[in-house]
Amino acid sequence: MNKHDTLLLRTEGLSTWFPIRRGLLRKTVGHVRAADGVNIKIRRGETLALVGESGCGKTTVGKTILRLVEATSGRAFYDDVDLMALEPGAFHDYRRRLQIIMQDPASSLDPRMTVRDSIGEGLRAFGMVSDDEDLTRQVAELMQLVSLDSDTMHRYPHEFSGGQRQRICIARALAPEPELIVCDEAVSALDVSIQAQILNLLERLQAERNLTYLFITHDLGVVRYFADRVAVMYLGRIVEDGPAERIFSEPRHPYTRALLASAPSIDPEHRGVEPAALGDVPSPARPPSGCHYHPRCPVRLGRCDRDVPPEVNFADGMSRCFLSEEQES
Amino acid sequence: MSKPLLEMQNVSVTFPSGAGRVAVVDEISFSLDEGEVLALVGESGCGKTMAALALMRLIPKPGRAEKTSRITFDGKDVMAASVDDMRALRGYDLSMIFQDPMTCLNPVVRVGDQVVEAIRLHESVSYGAARKRTIELFERVGIPDAEQRFSTYPHLLSGGLKQRVMISMAVATKPRLLIADEPTTALDVTVQAQILELLRELQRDLGTTILLITHDFAVVNELADRVAVMYAGKMVEKGTRYELLKMPRHPYTEGLLGAIPHAAQRGHELNEIEGVVPPPALWPAGCRFTNRCPKAFEPCEGTLPPRIETSGTGVAWCHALAKASGR
C-alpha cells in the first residue's frame, strides 16, 4: 500500500461540447468537442498532470470538473458522488472542497478588492469566519503560509509583482481548506526563477496539507519534475495515461512520443531535437476523422483515418492506439 | 581574423523617470562574427529586446539609445546612420522575427503579397518574379500547398504556419543578420521543434548570422554557438554554449539554470533565486544582483563588479569570482 491508494476523483466519459453558431438566427451548425469522453482518475494526495498542446481541451476538463462550464454528458465521481448530477445547492460544499489556480494572476484577481478581501472572500462565503478580527487573523495566517508579508493585506493587486500575485491566488485557493486544487498553467506565465519558488511552495503545501493536484500544463519539464501520474490529451481525447516515470521512459502512444521527442533539453551534450510530429495541431472545431492524430502520425495504419482506436489498458496505464492493441495481444 | 559582422560597444538605452533618465540597458557590449549564432538570454525586463531594438534603431519613444553607444554593423556606424540609410538596411541586411506572428502580419493583406512587398521594397523586380520567389520561399520554409497559401489571409493560418510566413519574409532578402526575438515562445512544443529545425537549416544553408533573443535555455542549447546572459540591464556572463550550460560561473546564471525543473531534480527542491528583480529605478549602484545573490558580500552593493575572464572564451562580472580567483 502506498500513500496514493484511495481514489478521490474519477470521470467517466466526461464530454463538454461548445456549439458553433452561424447566421442571423444563431443556428447551431456544429460543435467543438473540447472534451470528448474523458476518463481520468486522481488518487488522494497525488499530482495528476494533464498535458497537451493548445486547444486540446485540457483547461475545459478542469473547468468542467469544477462545474465552471456545464458538461454535455458523462459523469465525474468525487468520493463516489457524481458532481455533474448534483443540484446547485448540493454542489455548494464541493465548491469549497475543489479550488482552482489560474494561469494569469493579474486577471484572476479583482483589481478593486484588497488582498484581504480577495483571500477572505471564500472564508466569508462558506461561513468560516466569526467576525472581522477573525478574518484578519485567518488572512494573515494564509499570507504567511505562502510567504507573503501579512502587513500588505490592505493593498491592491497592482501593487504586487507577478510572483506575489500568484502567491495571493494560492492563498485564496487554500482559504476554504480544499482537498483538490486544479492548477491551470499556474506557473506558465512566470519567469524561471519565480516559477521555481511557486513550484516549491505548491510541493510544500501538498505535503503539509495532503492536497491533491490536477496540474494542467504544456510544460513537460514541469511535469517531469512535479507529477506522479500523467494523462496526455489530444484534441479532446485522452490518448495515454500512466505513472509519470513510465510515460517518460516508455511512452506508448505515437503522440506522447512526439511530444517528448520535441522538448528541447538544457543539457549541452544533448542537442538537436527531431521534430516527430508532422505539421500543426488541427483546429478542434474540425478534428480529423478516426484517430484525431492520424494526419500527423508517422506510424499510422490504413484504418486510422476511419476507426476510432479503443482505450487499450495495460498494468501501467492506458494507450489509445491500434498499435498498442497489437502489443497487448 | 576578419572583423566581426556586428559590434555593440557600451550600448545604453534610457527612459525618462521621476528622477532623470534610467538606463534599462546599461553599457553592454557584445559582437557577432559572420555565420555565428549568439543568444542573448535573460528574464523578462532584463533589457534583451531593448538591446536588439537599439541595433534596429527602433526604440519606442520616449526611450533612446545614448550617444556614447557604439554600434557597428558590416563596417557601418548604425548610431550615425540617416533615417533613409536605416530604412534601406532594415528588412534587407537586417531582419527581425518577432514572438507573436499574429500581431506582426497585416490582417487584411494576403500573406503572399506581404512577402512580395518586402522583396519589392528593396529590390527592383517585377511582381511576377517576386511572387515566384515568395512561393519558392514558402516551399523552402515548409508551408504545404505554397501556391494556394500565397493568397490566404493570416487569420486562416495556424500559429506555426504564421511563424513560417514571418520567417520567409525575414529571410526573403537574404539578410546578413537575422534577429530572432523569442521565435518559438508562442508555439506548441511539437511545432517549436519544427521551427527550431527550420532555423538551423536556414542558418546552415544561407550562412545567416543570428542574434537569438530568448528566456529559454533549452532553445539556447538548440541554436546558439555563444551565449550572453543579461540581468537588470547589465551583462553578467558570456561564454560558449557548452561552457555556459555546463559550468555557469556567475551566481545568477548558476541560479537560473538550477531553477529549471527537469528529470534529474525530481524529489529535490528546485533552486530558488530569492526575491524579485527590482524595478529599474531601484537597481543597486554596484552589482544589480546583490540583493538576491547567495554569494553577495561587502563590495557588491556599492561598486560595479570587475570583469573576470573565466576561461579563454568566457567572461563574467562578479566580485565573488574575483575574490575566489585571488584578485
Side-chain angles (χ1 to χ4, degrees), chain A:
Chain A
M1 299 285 268
N2 60 35
K3 61 165 182 161
H4 307 315
D5 50 4
T6 48
L7 209 56
L8 185 65
L9 179 81
R10 169 171 58 97
T11 69
E12 271 184 19
L14 196 63
S15 299
T16 310
W17 297 4
F18 296 106
I20 306 171
R21 294 182 208 278
R22 290 257 163 75
L24 197 62
L25 299 171
R26 313 303 298 153
K27 239 171 79 184
T28 302
V29 294
H31 287 93
V32 177
R33 301 180 177 196
D36 197 14
V38 168
N39 300 328
I40 53 171
K41 287 187 188 114
I42 312 178
R43 294 175 181 82
R44 194 179 285 276
E46 80 171 1
T47 300
L48 174 75
L50 189 55
V51 193
E53 297 180 284
S54 45
C56 74
K58 53 193 192 295
T59 293
T60 302
V61 170
K63 288 193 170 164
T64 306
I65 291 168
L66 296 179
R67 288 186 58 178
L68 296 173
V69 295
E70 279 303 312
T72 311
S73 63
R75 300 190 282 187
F77 294 98
Y78 186 88
D79 263 354
D80 294 325
V81 177
D82 181 7
L83 296 179
M84 302 300 121
L86 288 177
E87 293 297 315
F91 189 69
H92 187 71
D93 187 46
Y94 292 92
R95 283 240 180 280
R96 180 188 70 73
R97 292 161 72 180
L98 285 83
Q99 291 288 317
I100 185 167
I101 303 166
M102 310 224 196
Q103 172 168 5
D104 181 9
S107 63
S108 58
L109 288 167
D110 188 330
R112 293 168 305 176
M113 277 166 86
T114 63
V115 170
R116 177 176 174 275
D117 290 341
S118 277
I119 297 176
E121 197 180 17
L123 294 171
R124 281 211 177 99
F126 295 108
M128 298 170 76
V129 284
S130 48
D131 53 26
D132 248 26
E133 207 175 304
D134 185 36
L135 182 79
T136 304
R137 188 186 54 75
Q138 288 199 45
V139 168
E141 270 173 22
L142 285 160
M143 288 181 79
Q144 280 150 18
L145 190 66
V146 299
S147 309
L148 283 170
D149 180 1
S150 57
D151 293 341
T152 58
M153 71 166 72
H154 297 290
R155 295 199 189 159
Y156 290 89
H158 74 267
E159 297 174 73
F160 294 85
S161 69
Q164 285 171 322
R165 274 186 222 143
Q166 198 58 296
R167 286 176 196 272
I168 297 170
C169 292
I170 295 172
R172 181 178 60 176
L174 289 173
E177 295 173 10
E179 295 157 352
L180 182 134
I181 301 183
V182 176
C183 305
D184 188 0
E185 301 276 10
V187 296
S188 306
L190 307 172
D191 273 322
V192 209
S193 66
I194 308 300
Q195 174 180 297
Q197 296 172 3
I198 300 296
L199 285 173
N200 284 343
L201 173 65
L202 289 173
E203 185 121 66
R204 199 191 81 214
L205 292 169
Q206 179 167 43
E208 285 173 9
R209 310 194 146 209
N210 194 28
L211 290 169
T212 306
Y213 291 140
L214 174 59
F215 206 85
I216 299 170
T217 184
H218 70 282
D219 187 333
L220 294 164
V222 172
V223 173
R224 199 161 196 173
Y225 169 72
F226 202 66
D228 299 307
R229 296 176 58 81
V230 179
V232 182
M233 209 170 165
Y234 190 74
L235 291 177
R237 295 177 186 157
I238 305 284
V239 296
E240 179 164 4
D241 70 20
E245 240 163 273
R246 199 275 298 159
I247 296 263
F248 281 95
S249 61
E250 284 172 69
R252 288 201 181 99
H253 197 282
Y255 177 63
T256 315
R257 271 185 247 143
L259 210 55
L260 297 180
S262 301
S265 130
I266 57 163
D267 179 354
E269 276 156 44
H270 291 99
R271 177 183 207 187
V273 288
E274 299 277 340
L278 317 165
D280 280 350
V281 186
S283 158
R286 282 170 278 108
S289 58
C291 170
H292 290 340
Y293 186 59
H294 83 263
R296 305 180 72 198
C297 183
V299 292
R300 67 163 172 259
L301 309 169
R303 63 205 278 209
C304 293
D305 60 350
R306 296 189 310 269
D307 306 331
V308 180
E311 295 192 349
V312 185
N313 287 299
F314 296 84
D316 55 356
M318 180 278 289
S319 170
R320 206 166 180 176
C321 177
F322 290 120
L323 289 169
S324 304
E325 208 174 26
E326 284 165 23
Q327 275 171 28
E328 192 203 25
S329 53

Side-chain angles (χ1 to χ4, degrees), chain B residues 11 55 62 72 98 103 139 163 200 202 245 263 270-271 274-275:
Chain B
V11 173
L55 160 63
T72 318
F98 297 90
T103 55
E139 281 164 359
Q163 194 60 293
R200 261 198 307 260
L202 288 174
L245 291 173
L270 287 173
N271 175 55
E274 258 179 62

Side-chain angles (χ1 to χ4, degrees), chain B residues 198-243:
Chain B
L198 171 63
L199 288 172
R200 261 198 307 260
E201 274 174 25
L202 288 174
Q203 203 263 335
R204 196 178 53 221
D205 299 351
L206 308 174
T208 313
T209 311
I210 299 179
L211 176 60
L212 171 71
I213 296 168
T214 184
H215 70 283
D216 187 340
F217 276 103
V219 172
V220 170
N221 188 29
E222 287 294 317
L223 288 179
D225 299 314
R226 285 192 302 128
V227 189
V229 184
M230 287 182 74
Y231 179 79
K234 279 281 190 197
M235 196 67 84
V236 297
E237 181 166 7
K238 289 194 280 194
T240 64
R241 170 188 69 97
Y242 191 88
E243 67 187 353

